[in-house]
Amino acid sequence: MKLEMYSTALKQQKRKVSIRSNLNKAFKRHWQLYLLVIPPVLYFLIFKYIPMANAVIAFKDYNVVQGIWGSEWAGLKYFKLFFENPSFWPLVKNTLVLSLYTLLVGFPIPIILALLLNEIRQGIFKRSVQMVTYAPYFISTVVIVSMLTLILSPRLGIVNDVLAIFGLESINFLGEPGMFRSVYVWSDVWQHTGYNAIIYIAALAGVNPELYEAAKVDGASRLQKILHIDIPSIMPVMVIILILNVGNIMAIGFEKVYLLQNPLNLATSEIIATYVYKVGLLNANFSFATAVGLFNSVINLILLLSVNTIAKRISNNSLW
Amino acid sequence: MTRAKNSIRESLGDKVFMAIVYITLTIALLIVLLPLVYIVSASLSSPSAVTSGKVWLWPVEFSLDGYKATFKNSRILTGYTNSFIYTLFGTLISVTLTILIAYPLSRKSFYGRNVLMIFIVFTMIFNGGLIPTYLVVQNLGMIDTRWAMILPQAIAVWQVIIARTFFQTSISDDLVEASEMDGCSDIQFIWSIVIPLSKPIIAVLVLMYAVFQWNAYFDALIYLKSADLHPLQLVLRDIIILNTSGGGQMEASEMLKQQELSNLMKYCLIVVASLPVLIIYPFVQKHFVKGVMIGSLKG
């Protein structure tokens, strides 16, 4: 009791001390810590914040001679140019469809894997499943796409050999616009399901064992336990992961899409990120590419903020 | 009586359920494992066996021809050396910078830490974009230098969060206060107390940054022009992806042997490029799962 009183009194006293003297005191006592954060802070300023400022060239007619700040203002010219571009809607559609497909398939499967793994006892089988399914996470995107190129090749690939055994016609998986999305999404599932399940496995390990015992007494089946104990227990984690995923919808990775792209499947595989790379760096159309990229980032930010708000309202789970 | 009956029926239902669980997990295991086994088996087979599609799950006409050819290729060797250099120095710089910012952020007495945290996390949800970042790298004169592979992606915010959470939970305030009483400076404290106590998290950081560096190709694609600076991943892309997606270029029969060998080399190259990562993986799996969990504590 007494201690508590002391501490509240102390807190009140602390509050009275002004911010300025707090800062002075902190600097005097911990100047070394402030010294240590200088290099990382410089890193963020140079490689993250200066680019944000540089994004101003989306509103300018950037040219190398006059530089970023010297170039003439162009207003919304480049945004208009993009919106009126015939490739605008196809790009937005390709980006959205690919992300939604990834989300729809990629979100539930790791949860199912975690729930199933949670059912079986610790042992060699469980450990092998975990070890094997996590492993592809460490394989590089280039290697994944290389494997796809070899395995799915219409002439030499093993998948088409298997199809031939069943009397099916060979499919040019990487050359057909209709196949691109499925190849992208399912290879992603192959690579990331194990890793993405870890967070749910951790959450399931934290479920109060008394709940299971109570369910046992009530005669609940295993499936009922999953539906009424496991899933509600990991709901907060699920919501957070969902928010993060939705917030990344427009930011779908450039790396793998670009590698899977070829002239044959461009109709479905050209997304905003790859378009920015091509018009920006390959055609050196800096202002236009920046405008397109900025449009993408802003949409993304709005999506993240709105999903976060919605989640906060309906489930009390949110990022902040 | 009814109770006993019930429990028998339930256990039957549960038995069926468990059978489904085991079957599903076995299928999942095979789906992940088989493509990897196939690639490794193909890489250990003879050139003609691979090209004629005789390889399924076991090497056919075992040979190391593919690997011999792979290690004779000068481009691949250069790529390998470059990737080692980028991974070594990149990881060193990344881990150092991450600890430098994560530790102060974990200390309650570090005034302004909330502002600093927002400053960092904001870069996770918004960024300037490809071209504006490219312009910074260009202005720093880093285009086509090794620095472009190491500095622009040096700190991953997620790793900072993981490290900070670890420091917060494992370095107690009492310990900090006691050291202050003894007149230990912050830098001394970090060097002689924090780092020795944080070996698990440093292992996680080293692993995550090293794998990231080893696997990276995007920065190389946009910043590096000279082939002798290219990392292995970019060499891999040139040889495998750009070559095959172009379509057939089978020619005269005398070329056949050479073609078969270069086809086999692709399988070997995949194995060789993933080997360093997959060799260390079993040893660090435990640490890395821990790392994901520490990160999720915060979430």
Side-chain angles (χ1 to χ4, degrees):
Chain A
M1 264 311 270
K2 216 168 189 184
L3 219 107
E4 222 169 292
M5 270 164 60
Y6 273 130
S7 76
T8 42
L10 250 165
K11 263 183 206 158
Q12 274 166 351
Q13 216 174 21
K14 261 187 195 164
R15 231 171 266 150
K16 277 181 204 156
V17 181
S18 73
I19 292 173
R20 190 184 216 141
S21 78
N22 251 341
L23 195 62
N24 272 337
K25 218 167 68 189
F27 265 131
K28 258 182 207 143
R29 272 178 70 184
H30 296 295
W31 60 273
Q32 289 188 333
L33 292 183
Y34 291 92
L35 195 69
L36 292 179
V37 299
I38 290 175
V41 166
L42 279 179
Y43 164 80
F44 282 104
L45 281 176
I46 294 172
F47 290 106
K48 303 291 168 184
Y49 283 91
I50 293 182
M52 285 182 212
N54 282 355
V56 74
I57 63 169
F59 306 96
K60 290 187 158 206
D61 277 319
Y62 175 77
N63 67 64
V64 186
V65 185
Q66 285 167 303
I68 294 163
W69 299 103
S71 298
E72 293 289 321
W73 288 99
L76 295 174
K77 178 173 123 191
Y78 289 105
F79 289 91
K80 264 190 203 147
L81 216 58
F82 179 47
F83 297 143
E84 287 160 8
N85 194 313
S87 54
F88 173 71
W89 285 113
L91 281 173
V92 171
K93 187 190 151 205
N94 284 344
T95 308
L96 275 180
V97 173
L98 190 62
S99 310
L100 287 175
Y101 190 179
T102 310
L103 183 67
L104 230 57
V105 176
F107 178 67
I109 292 184
I111 299 174
I112 296 171
L113 178 68
L115 289 172
L116 295 183
L117 276 171
N118 191 48
E119 286 303 301
I120 64 177
R121 260 175 291 116
Q122 204 65 46
I124 289 184
F125 181 70
K126 185 171 183 173
R127 257 178 290 141
S128 331
V129 174
Q130 283 178 298
M131 183 138 177
V132 169
T133 51
Y134 299 167
Y137 174 79
F138 292 96
I139 298 174
S140 76
T141 315
V142 176
V143 166
I144 297 284
V145 177
S146 298
M147 285 172 64
L148 288 170
T149 317
L150 293 174
I151 291 177
L152 299 177
S153 152
R155 209 180 46 238
L156 302 168
I158 190 166
V159 171
N160 277 314
D161 288 349
V162 174
L163 289 181
I165 290 176
F166 291 104
L168 295 167
E169 250 176 67
S170 120
I171 300 171
N172 186 3
F173 289 96
L174 298 176
E176 238 171 88
M179 294 305 293
F180 166 77
R181 286 179 188 133
S182 295
V183 169
Y184 178 92
V185 169
W186 290 100
S187 60
D188 223 49
V189 167
W190 182 83
Q191 187 180 11
H192 291 126
T193 297
Y195 179 82
N196 291 341
I198 294 178
I199 193 165
Y200 299 112
I201 293 171
L204 283 169
V207 175
N208 186 353
E210 281 174 26
L211 291 175
Y212 291 120
E213 266 155 43
K216 212 175 185 178
V217 172
D218 288 345
S221 73
R222 278 178 180 270
L223 189 63
Q224 281 170 322
K225 278 185 227 166
I226 290 181
L227 291 178
H228 299 294
I229 299 175
D230 291 348
I231 292 181
S233 304
I234 59 171
M235 196 54 96
V237 180
M238 281 163 63
V239 174
I240 297 286
I241 302 284
L242 190 66
I243 297 172
L244 288 173
N245 283 343
V246 174
N248 271 326
I249 273 193
M250 296 288 281
I252 190 148
F254 164 93
E255 302 207 349
K256 197 168 149 198
V257 176
Y258 185 67
L259 290 174
L260 280 170
Q261 248 181 20
N262 57 54
L264 299 174
N265 64 17
L266 269 187
T268 52
S269 66
E270 189 77 296
I271 60 168
I272 294 178
T274 55
Y275 184 73
V276 168
Y277 170 73
K278 285 175 191 167
V279 291
L281 285 184
L282 301 185
N283 302 344
N285 206 337
F286 283 12
S287 285
F288 180 62
T290 305
V292 177
L294 199 60
F295 162 78
N296 203 8
S297 303
V298 170
I299 298 277
N300 226 351
L301 191 60
I302 293 171
L303 270 174
L304 182 70
L305 295 177
S306 31
V307 179
N308 195 49
T309 315
I310 295 168
K312 213 179 205 166
R313 289 257 168 83
I314 57 176
S315 75
N316 270 326
N317 293 305
S318 65
L319 292 178
W320 55 82
Chain B
M1 213 25 211
T2 45
R3 211 192 152 95
K5 210 175 174 185
N6 257 344
S7 82
I8 287 169
R9 216 182 61 203
E10 273 161 23
S11 72
L12 188 71
D14 280 354
K15 264 182 196 161
V16 173
F17 182 72
M18 283 314 283
I20 296 172
V21 168
Y22 274 98
I23 293 169
T24 317
L25 287 177
T26 309
I27 293 171
L29 181 78
L30 290 178
I31 288 177
V32 177
L33 200 57
L34 289 184
L36 300 173
V37 172
Y38 169 72
I39 296 281
V40 174
S41 297
S43 76
L44 291 169
S45 301
S46 75
S48 62
V50 174
T51 307
S52 56
K54 279 185 210 148
V55 180
W56 290 94
L57 288 177
W58 211 245
V60 176
E61 298 163 24
F62 181 87
S63 88
L64 292 173
D65 292 355
Y67 287 102
K68 279 178 199 152
T70 306
F71 283 110
K72 268 187 207 144
N73 186 316
S74 65
R75 275 185 77 197
I76 295 171
L77 288 180
T78 312
Y80 226 92
T81 318
N82 285 333
S83 282
F84 265 114
I85 294 172
Y86 299 141
T87 305
L88 187 69
F89 290 100
T91 308
L92 195 71
I93 290 176
S94 294
V95 173
T96 310
L97 287 176
T98 303
I99 294 175
L100 285 186
I101 193 145
Y103 176 71
L105 280 174
S106 77
R107 288 270 294 270
K108 285 199 194 76
S109 53
F110 183 69
Y111 194 78
R113 65 179 193 145
N114 291 332
V115 178
L116 192 57
M117 197 66 199
I118 293 168
F119 171 78
I120 292 170
V121 172
F122 183 69
T123 63
M124 250 178 149
I125 59 173
F126 191 76
N127 66 72
L130 175 70
I131 305 295
T133 311
Y134 180 87
L135 289 175
V136 169
V137 176
Q138 196 180 42
N139 287 336
L140 291 170
M142 298 198 312
I143 299 289
D144 212 22
T145 67
R146 294 192 192 277
W147 292 110
M149 287 299 290
I150 293 173
L151 289 182
Q153 304 268 15
I155 304 181
V157 177
W158 190 239
Q159 307 301 336
V160 175
I161 296 175
I162 290 177
R164 187 195 71 146
T165 313
F166 180 89
F167 292 140
Q168 254 169 4
T169 48
S170 67
I171 311 287
S172 71
D173 287 340
D174 295 345
L175 198 60
V176 178
E177 272 163 33
S179 81
E180 273 173 15
M181 296 273 205
D182 289 346
C184 178
S185 76
D186 285 314
I187 291 178
Q188 276 172 329
F189 182 70
I190 294 175
W191 187 250
S192 51
I193 311 277
V194 176
I195 295 195
L197 280 177
S198 307
K199 277 184 192 137
I201 196 66
I202 293 174
V204 170
L205 292 178
V206 168
L207 171 74
M208 294 311 249
Y209 279 121
V211 170
F212 173 80
Q213 267 295 344
W214 182 263
N215 287 343
Y217 91 93
F218 182 59
D219 281 1
L221 179 73
I222 59 177
Y223 298 135
L224 299 182
K225 294 185 181 78
S226 336
D228 55 345
L229 292 179
H230 282 180
L232 187 62
Q233 303 293 336
L234 212 55
V235 177
L236 200 68
R237 165 182 175 261
D238 287 347
I239 292 180
I240 304 180
I241 301 168
L242 294 188
N243 184 29
T244 20
S245 64
Q249 68 246 73
M250 280 277 178
E251 293 159 35
S253 60
E254 65 223 51
M255 291 286 287
L256 190 66
K257 224 173 192 171
Q258 197 52 44
Q259 295 233 338
E260 283 179 345
L261 189 64
S262 74
N263 184 41
L264 173 64
M265 257 177 67
K266 292 173 184 169
Y267 290 87
C268 301
L269 199 46
I270 287 180
V271 176
V272 165
S274 317
L275 214 56
V277 174
L278 290 179
I279 284 178
I280 54 168
Y281 165 64
F283 299 103
V284 289
Q285 190 210 356
K286 200 179 68 190
H287 283 308
F288 125 83
V289 170
K290 226 179 256 164
V292 178
M293 289 181 189
I294 295 169
S296 67
L297 268 180
K298 197 66 202 152

